[in-house]
Amino acid sequence: MSEPAHRPRRPVPLAPHVVARLAGAQDESARWEAAHRTARAVLARGRQHSADEDEIARLVRLVETEGLDDVAALWAGCEAETLPGALWRLYLLREWIRREPRRLAGWFAIGSVRGGADEAVAGVADPPGPQEVADVADAVLTGAVTADLDVALDRAAAFCAVVATGSLADPDPGADPAERSGQLRRTSGELSRAARRARAGELG
């Protein structure tokens, strides 16, 4: 992705030299601390009283403004049931939806035929078109960074569960539908467990 001509003010400090130093660091405790510190900074910025709509939008678009690789260098190696690991999965899900909205909308539409709690919890408007799944991705991250992290994680988990069912019907010859569906269900389970830890105040 190309860099915009005028980048907005960064919501959290992710300078390239800092990311490079962390990526090459041998001290795993330093990596862990940096990951958790930046994750807490994102939530703190979103929840402060002075945060306005533009500030929240910048936090939601963190991967777009900072770059997927830079954010991954900080958070991707963290376990799902930690704050940076859970946030990473939410941002990665939004990025996937942003890049393939039609495919994911189609999978969601197929998966939602079964109905049930997952479809309701995900909260995608009916009918679930590309814009509707993009909107729910933004809404999930907005909720995560401003107030209800556990609710956002539950919604993301439900979305992944519905999409996992729908993806089985995709005849894409370049992927094994059963394996892909299994991966989505594992992600759904990770997000659900992270949501429970967040509600218990244990998502460290």
Side-chain angles (χ1 to χ4, degrees):
M1 294 179 286
S2 61
E3 293 289 327
H6 298 287
R7 298 179 64 178
R9 179 166 57 87
R10 292 184 170 189
V12 292
L14 294 177
H17 71 279
V18 173
V19 173
R21 185 171 66 248
L22 291 170
Q26 297 300 313
D27 187 349
E28 289 301 318
S29 64
R31 284 174 179 261
W32 187 93
E33 176 56 34
H36 285 71
R37 185 172 62 250
T38 52
R40 290 192 296 267
V42 167
L43 294 192
R45 186 66 62 86
R47 294 173 184 182
Q48 65 185 12
H49 294 302
S50 60
D52 57 18
E53 290 185 5
D54 289 341
E55 181 80 3
I56 300 305
R58 283 194 290 271
L59 291 172
V60 169
R61 297 195 306 269
L62 180 65
V63 166
E64 295 171 57
T65 57
E66 299 295 342
L68 185 64
D69 290 342
D70 284 358
V71 180
L74 285 168
W75 294 348
C78 297
E79 294 182 0
E81 294 175 41
T82 65
L83 180 58
L87 286 178
W88 167 244
R89 283 157 178 78
L90 292 181
Y91 276 105
L92 196 60
L93 178 61
R94 179 184 181 271
E95 183 66 7
W96 188 25
I97 292 173
R98 194 174 72 85
R99 295 185 182 191
E100 298 191 74
R102 291 190 181 280
R103 167 172 283 193
L104 290 173
W107 290 355
F108 191 93
I110 294 169
S112 65
V113 170
R114 294 178 58 184
D118 285 330
E119 181 189 2
V121 172
V124 178
D126 188 27
Q131 187 59 53
E132 285 69 30
V133 296
D135 288 347
V136 82
D138 284 355
V140 163
L141 263 174
T142 298
V145 302
T146 58
D148 301 316
L149 179 58
D150 60 325
V151 174
L153 290 166
D154 275 333
R155 291 185 69 183
F159 180 88
C160 286
V162 175
V163 168
T165 298
S167 70
L168 288 168
D170 192 334
D172 183 356
D176 179 346
E179 180 180 352
R180 181 178 56 208
S181 179
Q183 290 173 342
L184 282 163
R185 289 200 177 279
R186 284 192 291 276
T187 298
S188 176
E190 291 172 343
L191 291 166
S192 290
R193 290 191 293 275
R196 289 195 292 272
R197 289 181 63 87
R199 273 190 292 276
E202 298 172 352
L203 192 63

